[in-house]
Amino acid sequence: MANYKPVIVQTYPKLGEKVTEDTLYWKNYKAPIQIKEFGAVNNIDFSPVHPYHYAVTASSRIHIYGRYSQEPIKTFSRFKDVAYCATYRDDGKLLVAGSEEGSVRLFDIGGRAALRQFEGHTKAVHVASFLSDKYRIVSGADDYTSKVWDVSSASEIVTYREHTDYVRCGCASKLNADLFVTGSYDHTVKVFDTRTEKSVMTIEHGHPVESLNLFPSGGLLVTAGGRYVKIWDVLKGGQLLVSLRNHHKTVTCLCLTSSGQRLLSGSLDRHVKVYSTTSYKVVHSFHYEASILSLALAPNDETLVVGMTNGILNIKHRKHEEKQHSGRRRRPTYRTFVKGKNYMPKQEDFLVTKPVRNHLKKYDQLLRSFQVSKALDAVLQGSARSNPPEVTVAVMQELNRRGTLKNALAGRDEKQLSVLLSFLIRHVTDARFAPVLINVAEMIIDIYMPVVGQSAVVDKQFLKLQNIVEKEIDYQEELLEVLGMMDALFATMARKKPVPLEENKLDGL
């Protein structure tokens, strides 16, 4: 009895996504806070200065939220119709927004009424932004035009009429006060210089352009339209560097992290994808409840805000490690207690050993006393956390090794047999457990075949087990067919050996 060896539970590789540094970084957000707006959230913009408030444009209102407030700290509601694209100036003191009425309005963050109203567009203005000199505004509208305005005089400086469809997105260069970019539903992106009367560059995206952004360096441009996100090299005349197609529906918004090393894209497929700007591969993904129209990141990625078509504003704050400062004396760390654990005794040392008591699990105690049926019940009836399927299969393997598995399976009532069959139904198709569980299933059928038909519950479970096994057999046959096709293709490719150039010349002669 004293020499009993506990059941060895085999460890299997964990199934699931690969944990990377990006996975840990982007999962380090608290549970989201949700705020209901009056309409679809079409734009979110963070103030570039502390305390990093953000402006949310939805319906006919612009709400200003504090980073940790769930109620707006300020509201601009002097719009007759839908407001669009409220954007901060670089100093965070002024806010510009377009509207369905065709006007562009300038607001002071400290006031409520508009400081300036720029009239000139004949249709809805979806693009409004400050140039980097802070004294000019660029706008784009559904009348196919882009305009540059002077803030001090509220006058129009220049108008560009090069697009042939709605102008729906745009951004200004942070490095050059005269450069700005617009995207249109005519599938083109145009780069303008306010010192010239025409665009200086035209890029063909291939789909209606929904969003665009310039990298901090100013040399790369990212555009979104259709299901595609494309990266262009502006310094090489608009050369396409990479085309990404990771969304299932139209991509509606783009955002860069503060460092510029990660690019985020939101889509109507309810996903936000995070790309590495060095490899342009998806490193993480967020899933939301509704289609996404807008997203924004606070400086240092402290807050992620996403706006959806159902008017929900989803806010996630980054977790911070709370440092506890206490006047009490610090307790010894774990390192203190394990000190000397791996010390190797020398020849002259006098070693005092302490007997270590092994605590056996319940199923091990029952197996030790040869109560095989109760041992199997113990692992079947426990919770999934205390007795995962690996433990149950390990006990079945041990019983089979002892030659007592059939005894443990026999003599069961309806309830006990139902529990056993439920376990088989859940895990018999798992490749890790299939060899053991198929053997168990065969034994159960042999033992309980004479009593089939006496219990409706057990009969139903037998039929369910049969259907699952038949489906698995069909899947395996299909996989074997595919494997055969692949082998044939690989064999054909291996036969086609390249003919050396010298042999071709000789054949020609």
Side-chain angles (χ1 to χ4, degrees), residues 274-288:
V274 184
Y275 307 88
S276 165
T277 53
T278 52
S279 64
Y280 296 109
K281 292 182 179 179
V282 176
V283 294
H284 193 67
S285 180
F286 296 98
H287 178 73
Y288 289 88

Side-chain angles (χ1 to χ4, degrees), residues 115-321:
L115 293 177
R116 296 279 189 278
Q117 185 162 324
F118 306 93
E119 302 287 351
H121 288 291
T122 57
K123 290 187 179 179
V125 179
H126 285 264
V127 180
S129 180
F130 288 95
L131 292 176
S132 57
D133 61 7
K134 302 180 185 178
Y135 302 110
R136 288 179 294 173
I137 291 171
V138 60
S139 63
D142 286 356
D143 58 6
Y144 310 166
T145 65
S146 303
K147 295 177 183 287
V148 179
W149 311 85
D150 180 61
V151 172
S152 57
S153 63
S155 60
E156 179 184 315
I157 299 173
V158 63
T159 300
Y160 299 99
R161 294 184 173 86
E162 296 193 25
H163 284 295
T164 58
D165 209 331
Y166 301 153
V167 180
R168 284 297 174 90
C169 56
C171 68
S173 171
K174 301 290 183 186
L175 303 178
N176 190 324
D178 294 304
L179 287 181
F180 68 93
V181 189
T182 59
S184 168
Y185 277 9
D186 62 6
H187 300 192
T188 64
V189 174
K190 291 184 181 288
V191 181
F192 294 97
D193 189 328
T194 57
R195 295 165 293 188
T196 63
E197 295 180 356
K198 293 183 179 180
S199 62
V200 295
M201 187 184 300
T202 300
I203 295 170
E204 183 68 36
H205 179 81
H207 295 83
V209 184
E210 298 285 353
S211 182
L212 55 84
N213 213 330
L214 278 167
F215 277 66
S217 64
L220 297 179
L221 174 70
V222 54
T223 60
R227 294 166 58 189
Y228 293 88
V229 175
K230 297 184 179 182
I231 316 294
W232 312 84
D233 191 335
V234 179
L235 301 179
K236 290 186 178 180
Q239 179 184 341
L240 178 64
L241 295 181
V242 64
S243 178
L244 308 171
R245 188 182 173 184
N246 297 99
H247 287 282
H248 302 297
K249 291 184 180 179
T250 301
V251 182
T252 55
C253 48
L254 296 168
C255 177
L256 282 163
T257 58
S258 303
S259 63
Q261 295 180 353
R262 295 292 180 266
L263 170 68
L264 281 74
S265 65
S267 167
L268 296 179
D269 64 4
R270 303 186 295 178
H271 283 86
V272 170
K273 305 282 185 182
V274 184
Y275 307 88
S276 165
T277 53
T278 52
S279 64
Y280 296 109
K281 292 182 179 179
V282 176
V283 294
H284 193 67
S285 180
F286 296 98
H287 178 73
Y288 289 88
E289 296 176 357
S291 299
I292 297 164
L293 284 183
S294 54
L295 67 91
L297 266 175
N300 300 321
D301 311 335
E302 290 293 322
T303 309
L304 173 64
V305 185
V306 172
M308 292 174 267
T309 53
N310 60 356
I312 295 293
L313 197 65
N314 187 291
I315 305 143
K316 293 181 179 179
H317 297 291
R318 185 166 294 282
K319 296 176 185 175
H320 293 285
E321 293 182 4

Side-chain angles (χ1 to χ4, degrees), residues 73-85:
I73 58 176
K74 197 172 195 62
T75 300
F76 299 103
S77 57
R78 303 290 178 90
F79 294 92
K80 295 178 182 177
D81 209 329
V82 180
Y84 297 109
C85 61

